Every structure is written in C-alpha cells, then in structure tokens.
Amino acid sequence: MKRKPIFAANWKMNKGASETEDFVKSLLSKLQGKDIPADIVISPPFISLPKLADLLHNANAGQNAHAIQIAAQNCSQHDSGAFTGEVSVMMLREFYVHYVILGHSERRSIFGETDEVINAKMKKALETNLKPIFCIGETLEEREAGKLESVLRTQVTEGLKGLSNSDMSETVIAYEPVWAIGTGVTASSDQAQEAHAFVRSLIEELYGSEIASKVRIQYGGSVKPGNAAELMACPDIDGALIGGASLEPQSFLEVIQNGSEG
Ligand code: PEP
C-alpha cells in the first residue's frame, strides 16, 4: 500500500509572527517550481496562526506554490467557557487549521495530559473535522524494561477509545520515542520500523486491515536531513514530525526532500 508521506514541522514555543513570516517566505521561495510528493504541514505557536494562515492562504491560492497545511500544537477538549488560557477547535478552524498535534510527549510529561484527556481532545478535534496527529512513544526507562509494546498498546487503545473507522481514517499517528525527542539521538531505522509495524498491527486489531494499511504513521525524534532518507525508506514509516530541524527553512526542506525521494 503506497501512502503519501506527511512531514510536519513542530515549532513548539518558537517563532512569533515576524519570524513565522520570514520562515514562510523563505520556504515558499525554495519550494517554487518543485513538485514534492508529500504533504507538508507547519505547526506554529497559537499566536502565530493568524500570520501563517494569512501567508499560506495567499500563497496556496497561487498556482505554483506547493500547498502547505497548518496544524495547531494543541486544542481544548471543551467548546467554550471558563478555561483560562485554552483554545477551542472552532477558534482554530477560523485560521485554516487542518491538523492538531495531540498527545505530544511534552504535553504528557510537562503538562500532565493523561490518555483520557488526550482521548477527549481527539474526539473534539474529529467532531469539527480537524485531523489529529496523535503522538505516542515510550521513555528510555520503559524501553529498557521491555515495556515498549505494552506502553504503545495502552496509549493506542486508550487514546483512540471510541473513535469510529471514519475517525481513524482521518487520523495520523506519530511514533516518537521520548528518548529521541530533542536529544540528537535517533532511533535506528530497525528500531523505528519495528515499533511502526507494531503500531500498525494494533490499528489492524482495532480497525481491520484496510484502515491499518492506509493510516499514516510518522516517525519523530531528532529527524535531520542526514537521517531522513534511511528512516523514511522503512516500509511502515510515512513521514516525520520534526522539531529542531524544522526551525530553519533549508533543513526542513532537506528533510522533506531527502525523506520523500525513495
Ligand atoms: C518533536 O518535537 O516532536 C520532535 C520530534 O522534536 P525533535 O525533532 O527536535 O527531536
């Protein structure tokens, strides 16, 4: 099954509106005339979404620009009300947001998001046609204790609880070993492929083989221009969620190009 790879820049808490503008102008000029067989997504901080939406809406309307889609880094599981500091899915929709990253390990470990909260956010996003980029992954301690599969199984079954087949068809999964995020240490292609194949088998158990064969599973964790091709050549890896290397237009572009060549 040929799946279109998806490369998503997760800027985390980097780049306000003016840096977003510089980045996007530079990336768009580098993409000019290139036909890249991959989906490209940028996920800035909330505060930069209006600027990004403005820039991309104009650019994507132009004929030669590679369409870039927008992701939010989080959303509330609530529609509105007394939730200071939160942002609802309907607010995101106003800025052409197509995807939302949910369950990132930083949200889990720093902000205490549980599988239950993540599941509620998944459902809220899908209700309004936002596509979740659902992140899962084990810590080094868990891997070394032989708990890789049980951790992934729990995150997948709890995070996706109650999601229908059509919800699953709209969902992208990002396997991100926590020990590889922002550390410069990347999972070897064998380690990554093994985990991705296992995650796909879990989706098959829950949703059947057709949906499992179509679901895109990104790898995340210190992806760089130099390792993208080898990782993306693995049969169950369908793109990447990229932190550090997505902060410069040139390295983001090189990850995308190197990773989508195979
Ligand atoms: C991430 O934030 O999801 C990530 C994978 O970061 P990095 O590429 O910097 O490891």
Side-chain angles (χ1 to χ4, degrees):
M1 167 87 218
K2 186 89 183 124
R3 293 172 294 268
K4 190 176 189 189
I6 171 168
F7 293 90
N10 176 16
W11 286 351
K12 312 190 188 195
M13 200 173 71
N14 295 291
K15 298 194 192 296
S18 58
E19 283 181 277
T20 296
E21 180 164 7
D22 293 345
F23 181 100
V24 170
K25 286 185 171 162
S26 165
L27 182 64
L28 288 173
S29 80
K30 290 174 193 294
L31 282 170
Q32 197 69 25
K34 291 196 170 67
D35 186 16
I36 294 178
D39 287 336
I40 302 177
V41 178
I42 296 178
S43 187
F46 285 137
I47 195 77
S48 302
L49 285 171
K51 172 61 78 181
L52 184 62
D54 214 29
L55 290 161
L56 291 181
H57 190 57
N58 290 331
N60 288 347
Q63 285 195 329
N64 294 324
H66 188 294
I68 295 175
Q69 287 173 315
I70 303 175
Q73 294 179 17
N74 187 20
C75 68
S76 173
Q77 66 272 43
H78 305 289
D79 288 325
S80 62
F83 301 104
T84 302
E86 292 289 278
V87 173
S88 77
V89 286
M90 291 312 288
M91 294 169 187
L92 296 173
R93 295 288 309 176
E94 285 188 43
F95 293 106
Y96 306 99
V97 173
H98 273 84
Y99 293 93
V100 57
I101 299 173
L102 293 174
H104 191 280
S105 73
E106 288 151 20
R107 300 291 325 166
R108 292 176 188 265
S109 67
I110 303 171
F111 300 100
E113 288 193 13
T114 60
D115 289 324
E116 199 182 354
V117 167
I118 294 159
N119 179 248
K121 292 184 176 195
M122 296 280 294
K123 288 177 175 156
K124 186 53 69 185
L126 286 158
E127 257 175 38
T128 46
N129 297 325
L130 272 188
K131 298 175 192 294
I133 297 179
F134 170 58
C135 303
I136 53 174
E138 81 291 357
T139 62
L140 188 58
E141 211 177 17
E142 289 163 340
R143 175 174 275 268
E144 287 178 349
K147 294 185 182 157
L148 170 65
E149 294 195 352
S150 66
V151 167
L152 295 180
R153 180 177 287 278
T154 302
Q155 291 175 337
V156 166
T157 50
E158 297 301 313
L160 302 180
K161 198 177 255 171
L163 265 57
S164 66
N165 284 8
S166 73
D167 289 338
M168 195 59 228
S169 306
E170 298 300 318
T171 298
V172 174
I173 298 177
Y175 167 66
E176 301 203 296
V178 178
W179 46 273
I181 297 178
T183 58
V185 180
T186 316
S188 69
S189 50
D190 285 349
Q191 286 172 318
Q193 168 55 27
E194 189 186 16
H196 280 237
F198 177 69
V199 173
R200 200 176 297 286
S201 77
L202 291 174
I203 301 302
E204 184 169 352
E205 266 179 44
L206 295 168
Y207 293 95
S209 57
E210 193 181 336
I211 289 178
S213 71
K214 288 187 181 150
V215 70
R216 294 186 290 181
I217 309 177
Q218 298 175 304
Y219 169 79
S222 298
V223 175
K224 306 180 253 296
N227 59 26
E230 189 187 341
L231 285 160
M232 300 307 131
C234 297
D236 286 293
I237 300 184
D238 310 308
L241 185 56
I242 308 136
S246 74
L247 293 173
E248 292 298 330
Q250 185 59 31
S251 62
F252 184 44
L253 179 67
E254 284 175 23
V255 167
I256 296 165
Q257 284 184 311
N258 298 350
S260 55
E261 259 164 17

